[in-house]
Amino acid sequence: MLGFPMRIKMHPLWLIMAILAFLHGYLLDFILLFLVIVLHEIGHAVAAHSYGYVIAEIEIFPFGGVAKIEGRRVGYYAREETVIALAGPFVNLFLGVVVALLHGSGFLPDMMAEQLLTINATIGVINLLPALPLDGGRIARAYLADEIGFDRATKAVTTMSYRVAIAVMLIGIIAFLFGYADVGLFLLGVFLLISTMLYQKKNKVETMRFLDEKRNLAQAILPVKTIAISENATLQEVASYFSPDNYHLIYILESKKVIAQDIILDYIFTSNGWHQPIKSLL
């Protein structure tokens, strides 16, 4: 029905959550939460499939999920990443409208409609927070990558992710001190903090994959972006300004010479010239 095989994998913590939900009388909330997260991730999967990506599986975590994609790499094409990231929250918006219509028509009882709307809105809003690996973080990186370069955008959004995680944890602690017994916000902050730490460890790998994709990508027409830089700048510094969907020409300020991005990328990958100054190519 979706046009691609659907395989859903559940994180082991879901079993613990199911047992706790059953023991404390929140089984319906648990089922609705699982349903909303699955539909959210299916939205991502459908959008990714429309761009030709192969969907390996959908893995569901306690605070969300991820549609794992094989082959081509998500994140290196700004427009595609934005559309794929927005597809999940769009499903939440659509689901909210459907639930409201069904409730208004008398097909859904008040309690179930309220629970479903609350859970659905919570998942949608949380995923729009500007923190990696959430949808909001991916949208922020896609926008910044076009402006300041993929590597610098990833680092900027990673820093933002730490701030968001700490802010969510602090709000959770303050809420707890003021008598709100729900520790969900604090745990969400911890989850975001750990996710950001793990993501930061992959920053260089992400950048190298992006540059490798850029090096091997053959496109007939690309807008040209010129970068003016000192001859003492390293190739790492130069490459940090490379953005998706642009072809880069590097203007050397001292010698007034121009070097194409292909020469820089080939040197980085074939001569291990990551830390070499760009003047070594002149």
Side-chain angles (χ1 to χ4, degrees), residues 4 132 156 164 223 230 240 247:
F4 56 89
L132 290 169
V164 170
S230 168
S240 70
Y247 187 89

Side-chain angles (χ1 to χ4, degrees), residues 140-167:
R141 183 177 65 177
Y143 171 77
L144 289 175
D146 194 51
E147 298 293 322
I148 64 175
F150 181 87
D151 180 61
R152 297 173 75 230
T154 300
K155 291 175 180 176
V157 178
T158 299
T159 300
M160 188 189 307
S161 301
Y162 276 116
R163 293 172 180 170
V164 170
I166 293 171

Side-chain angles (χ1 to χ4, degrees), residues 4 7 41-59 66-77 80-81 83-85 138 209:
F4 56 89
R7 186 172 63 194
E41 294 305 323
I42 287 176
H44 291 310
V46 170
H49 181 71
S50 71
Y51 281 112
Y53 292 95
V54 177
I55 313 302
E57 66 180 12
I58 292 177
E59 186 170 5
V66 59
K68 295 186 177 180
I69 296 170
E70 294 179 343
R72 293 165 58 200
R73 305 176 184 107
V74 176
Y76 311 126
Y77 308 91
E80 290 183 11
E81 179 163 29
V83 172
I84 293 171
R138 295 189 177 279
R209 286 177 176 172

Side-chain angles (χ1 to χ4, degrees), residues 116-128:
L116 191 50
L117 285 172
T118 300
I119 292 171
N120 183 60
T122 300
I123 294 298
V125 171
I126 286 175
N127 273 278
L128 286 175

